[in-house]
Amino acid sequence: MARDQGEFISFVASSSAALFRVAGLLCSGDHHAAQDLVQEAFTETYQRWDQVRDPNARQAYARRILVRAATRRWKRLARDRRRLVSPDGVVSASHADQVIASHDLWVALAALSPRQRAVVVLRYYEDMSEAEIAEVLGCSRGAVKSHASRALDSLHQRLGGPDYLGVDTEGSRS
Amino acid sequence: MTPASDSWLRELLREGADDLTVPPDLTDTVVHQTLSSQQRTGWVRPVLQVGLVAMVVTIGVVAVAALRSNTAAPPVGAPTPELDTAVVGAPSSLLGTWELKRMSGFTVPDGPPRGEGIGPLITFQTDGTWSGFDGCNPVSGGYDLQPDGTFASTVSSTGLAACPEVASLPLPANEGTEVRVHDGEATFYDSVGATTARLVRPLGWSAPTARLLTTGWGIDLALSTYGSGSCPYEIDSIQVKPDNQLWVQIADLHPGAVCTADFRRSTDVAQVPIPIDPDPVIPTVDPTQPVTATLVGLGQIPTLTVPVDASDLVGARLVTVKDWDGTSVDTARLEGTLTVNGPGCVSVGNTVVAWPSTYRLATEPNRRFAIVDQDGTTLGTEGQTLTLAGGMTPAEQDGTTTVDTTHPECITGDYWTGVIFAADN
């Protein structure tokens, strides 16, 4: 696959920062986890390099891999947390717990389910349509709507909605 | 959700993303690690060109004689059969034992009839290894089947010393090789769609059905549901009960609802369902430790009907009054159907009810939820018309309440405080 290396390097250089930021949101601010996800996304994309030739399609493919890897990561974290429950029911603080506790947004995002978090990031950061999100997550548009609705309720409760930024309902800073 | 009302969230996310410091060496690191990993796994492609060949070489010892006298050219451009998307490309669809029936460039000898005696056999295992028997020696190696059907293989062990007459064979798997599994046959295609090999299931082979092989609790799998309309996607927790029933608690599932779901390991591939690992299973079970449980299914999606215990459900909300056993009660009467409202709060008709603290929820065999007293006696079942004694209670405005605050979302206005006086049959 050496013939594609130059093209691949250009692809990484042009898209890695944006993908890292998406990963960072999906990981609630955990830089190390975000970098791992970005690495996984690019590695898998490179493995499909010959099958996905369109640059835009490659970017979408990498993002899809990233989102799904992030979902798996959160489920793994949840499982590991269950394992950390000691006999008296005390949960040990993990590194991830400490990281995500450092910022209101990260805490609020971390409180969402993996799919809710993915929907929020893709819908309100990546500006993707419900149909596009449904395709990425492999679920129905109705499920995307449901996840978005619940996620927004949760974020409203935790962050206070527009008041958090001092934004009025028209979207401008007060 | 209008753009105006969610603009605060967009801005917050943008600010959060901007706060993230992109590692300055991100591009270099990604490129280096990606290309390095390709070099490390580069064995797949080159060996692909000899791997499956060697595998077939070794399992095809019995075919050598026939090979020398009968060479069949592969049909070029063979059409891809209509595919069963439930199994095509799913790694587990190739799992299990296969009998070699055809390979490009040579003819598998008639040999023993299908399913009888020992023919060229290959078994693909869940750990990415294959093993075979060539009629002379055991052979083994590794393989990789991607969800899109891309296939590669290696050979790590052969018994060629005992069978020196093995000859080289043309390549059945080349760059771009794909495998399609359909109707008990695995067909290998080259990059132009020509059939290069065909494997069939031995006579009498059958896919194991889904079963649980553990006791205790805890499943070391991330599962998702892709099931009936009543099944949400998110699973809160999973337990395997001592009777080997799989119990799943699903967030916000309506109390009493039956969720018949496909349980699948979380997968990168949304459109191609991947069955849960089909292989055995639990080597040891220590009841004092969390248990890794594996559902068994091969080439099919295990589908289980999930018992839902309303008292365990996150979505079941029974509001009670603290320290009130219901022995003293107002005498007004409320009549209506026992049900739940939108948030899942147990109600009679449209009225949310705060019940005695001795009441709790249970699940009836017909999956309806029931209210039982402290002795376990059923007082009312979902759908029954109940007559309650009690009275309307105004919502507390000062923040003080005698209602158990476990489910504050249930008490958003006036509510009924009462006991079940009678239930219809």
Side-chain angles (χ1 to χ4, degrees), chain A residues 84-113:
Chain A
L84 288 174
V85 176
S86 58
D88 60 0
V90 176
V91 179
S92 308
S94 68
H95 173 66
D97 289 330
Q98 294 161 4
V99 169
I100 61 179
S102 63
H103 192 295
D104 289 350
L105 173 63
W106 305 145
V107 173
L109 286 175
L112 303 177
S113 74

Side-chain angles (χ1 to χ4, degrees), chain B residues 206-275:
Chain B
S206 61
T209 54
R211 58 199 168 100
L212 288 169
L213 297 174
T214 183
T215 58
W217 62 276
I219 290 186
D220 191 15
L221 287 174
L223 298 179
S224 298
T225 62
Y226 293 80
S228 59
S230 63
C231 299
Y233 285 88
E234 304 295 345
I235 294 177
D236 267 13
S237 63
I238 305 164
Q239 289 185 323
V240 180
K241 297 294 186 183
D243 61 0
N244 277 358
Q245 274 198 309
L246 180 72
W247 282 65
V248 179
Q249 293 180 8
I250 302 177
D252 298 331
L253 181 62
H254 188 289
V258 177
C259 170
T260 301
D262 295 341
F263 289 90
R264 307 168 193 178
R265 187 167 53 181
S266 294
T267 169
D268 286 339
V269 183
Q271 305 304 322
V272 182
I274 296 181

Side-chain angles (χ1 to χ4, degrees), chain B residues 7 82 108 113 140 154 178 188 312 370 391 397 413:
Chain B
S7 60
E82 189 174 341
V108 176
S140 61
T154 63
E178 289 188 8
F188 291 68
D312 288 341
Q397 299 299 323

Side-chain angles (χ1 to χ4, degrees), chain B residues 55-63 97-102 106 108-123 131-139 199-200 202-203:
Chain B
M55 176 170 76
V56 175
V57 165
T58 49
I59 65 173
V61 168
V62 293
T97 299
W98 297 88
E99 187 176 333
L100 177 65
K101 296 304 290 183
R102 181 170 168 273
F106 76 100
V108 176
D110 291 340
R114 179 175 172 171
E116 297 179 15
I118 299 176
L121 298 176
I122 308 172
T123 299
S131 58
F133 186 75
D134 60 7
C136 175
N137 287 301
V139 290
L199 309 178
V200 299
L203 195 64

Side-chain angles (χ1 to χ4, degrees), chain A:
Chain A
M1 220 176 267
R3 64 186 182 282
D4 296 320
Q5 285 183 8
E7 198 178 354
F8 175 69
I9 292 169
S10 299
F11 173 66
V12 174
S14 64
S15 56
S16 59
L19 213 54
F20 178 82
R21 290 197 170 90
V22 174
L25 292 172
L26 292 171
C27 295
S28 295
D30 186 333
H31 281 67
H32 297 297
Q35 191 161 354
D36 286 347
L37 291 184
V38 169
Q39 180 65 58
E40 184 172 346
F42 280 115
T43 299
E44 290 201 30
T45 302
Y46 191 56
Q47 288 172 349
R48 290 284 174 278
W49 199 250
D50 291 337
Q51 285 132 319
V52 187
R53 295 184 181 279
D54 178 70
N56 292 330
R58 281 173 178 160
Q59 186 126 9
Y61 184 83
R63 184 170 50 200
R64 187 184 312 159
I65 297 296
L66 183 96
V67 170
R68 292 177 182 173
T71 302
R72 285 198 306 272
R73 171 184 174 273
W74 278 101
K75 288 180 175 176
R76 209 164 46 235
L77 274 180
R79 187 188 66 204
D80 291 344
R81 284 203 181 96
R82 284 203 293 273
R83 283 179 177 163
L84 288 174
V85 176
S86 58
D88 60 0
V90 176
V91 179
S92 308
S94 68
H95 173 66
D97 289 330
Q98 294 161 4
V99 169
I100 61 179
S102 63
H103 192 295
D104 289 350
L105 173 63
W106 305 145
V107 173
L109 286 175
L112 303 177
S113 74
R115 281 178 181 264
Q116 288 173 356
R117 190 178 311 105
V119 168
V120 164
V121 173
L122 296 178
R123 184 79 183 90
Y124 301 108
Y125 180 71
E126 289 283 79
D127 280 329
M128 292 173 65
S129 68
E130 288 170 349
E132 290 170 327
I133 298 171
E135 195 274 335
V136 168
L137 296 179
C139 63
S140 67
R141 289 179 63 177
V144 171
K145 279 185 179 178
S146 171
H147 287 311
S149 172
R150 292 182 186 183
L152 284 178
D153 285 347
S154 173
L155 293 174
H156 258 287
Q157 285 180 11
R158 290 178 176 272
L159 297 173
D163 293 340
Y164 185 84
L165 287 175
V167 174
D168 64 26
T169 53
E170 296 305 314
S172 60
R173 286 285 184 111
S174 57

Side-chain angles (χ1 to χ4, degrees), chain B residues 31-395:
Chain B
V31 168
H32 174 74
Q33 290 193 10
T34 302
L35 298 181
S36 297
S37 70
Q38 291 301 308
Q39 286 169 359
R40 282 196 301 274
T41 58
W43 55 271
V44 171
R45 291 291 179 188
V47 174
L48 173 65
Q49 298 174 5
V50 295
L52 187 57
V53 177
M55 176 170 76
V56 175
V57 165
T58 49
I59 65 173
V61 168
V62 293
V64 169
L67 171 68
R68 290 170 179 159
S69 61
N70 184 7
T71 299
V76 176
T80 302
E82 189 174 341
L83 302 174
D84 180 350
T85 55
V87 294
V88 168
S92 57
S93 63
L94 195 62
L95 293 168
T97 299
W98 297 88
E99 187 176 333
L100 177 65
K101 296 304 290 183
R102 181 170 168 273
M103 185 67 66
S104 289
F106 76 100
T107 300
V108 176
D110 291 340
R114 179 175 172 171
E116 297 179 15
I118 299 176
L121 298 176
I122 308 172
T123 299
F124 294 94
Q125 283 122 8
T126 53
D127 60 358
T129 64
W130 63 267
S131 58
F133 186 75
D134 60 7
C136 175
N137 287 301
V139 290
S140 61
Y143 75 98
D144 177 55
L145 175 61
Q146 293 295 319
D148 66 356
T150 306
F151 178 86
S153 69
T154 63
V155 177
S156 59
S157 168
T158 68
L160 295 181
C163 302
E165 70 277 22
V166 172
S168 295
L169 296 176
L171 301 180
N174 224 322
E175 186 87 19
T177 290
E178 289 188 8
V179 179
R180 293 282 182 260
V181 180
H182 178 69
D183 196 23
E185 290 192 9
T187 309
F188 291 68
Y189 299 93
D190 65 16
S191 57
V192 296
T195 303
T196 55
R198 188 167 71 88
L199 309 178
V200 299
R201 292 294 191 190
L203 195 64
W205 185 91
S206 61
T209 54
R211 58 199 168 100
L212 288 169
L213 297 174
T214 183
T215 58
W217 62 276
I219 290 186
D220 191 15
L221 287 174
L223 298 179
S224 298
T225 62
Y226 293 80
S228 59
S230 63
C231 299
Y233 285 88
E234 304 295 345
I235 294 177
D236 267 13
S237 63
I238 305 164
Q239 289 185 323
V240 180
K241 297 294 186 183
D243 61 0
N244 277 358
Q245 274 198 309
L246 180 72
W247 282 65
V248 179
Q249 293 180 8
I250 302 177
D252 298 331
L253 181 62
H254 188 289
V258 177
C259 170
T260 301
D262 295 341
F263 289 90
R264 307 168 193 178
R265 187 167 53 181
S266 294
T267 169
D268 286 339
V269 183
Q271 305 304 322
V272 182
I274 296 181
I276 294 166
D277 270 351
D279 226 26
V281 164
I282 313 299
T284 58
V285 174
D286 179 353
T288 66
Q289 297 295 320
V291 174
T292 299
T294 306
L295 291 176
V296 176
L298 200 58
Q300 60 185 14
I301 304 296
T303 300
L304 304 177
T305 298
V306 183
V308 176
D309 185 341
S311 62
D312 288 341
L313 278 174
V314 174
R317 297 171 171 92
L318 186 76
V319 177
T320 58
V321 179
K322 286 180 280 191
D323 302 323
W324 177 55
D325 63 4
T327 51
S328 65
V329 63
D330 292 343
T331 54
R333 199 170 84 159
L334 173 68
E335 188 172 292
T337 303
L338 183 62
T339 184
V340 292
N341 63 10
C345 309
V346 178
S347 308
V348 171
N350 295 322
T351 305
V352 176
V353 178
W355 308 89
S357 59
T358 51
Y359 284 14
R360 59 186 173 82
L361 282 177
T363 304
E364 295 285 287
N366 61 6
R367 308 300 181 209
R368 293 177 183 274
F369 76 86
I371 294 178
V372 300
D373 65 12
Q374 56 194 341
D375 299 323
T377 303
T378 299
L379 303 175
T381 303
E382 180 185 14
Q384 269 190 315
T385 299
L386 302 184
T387 302
L388 271 58
M392 221 44 203
T393 305

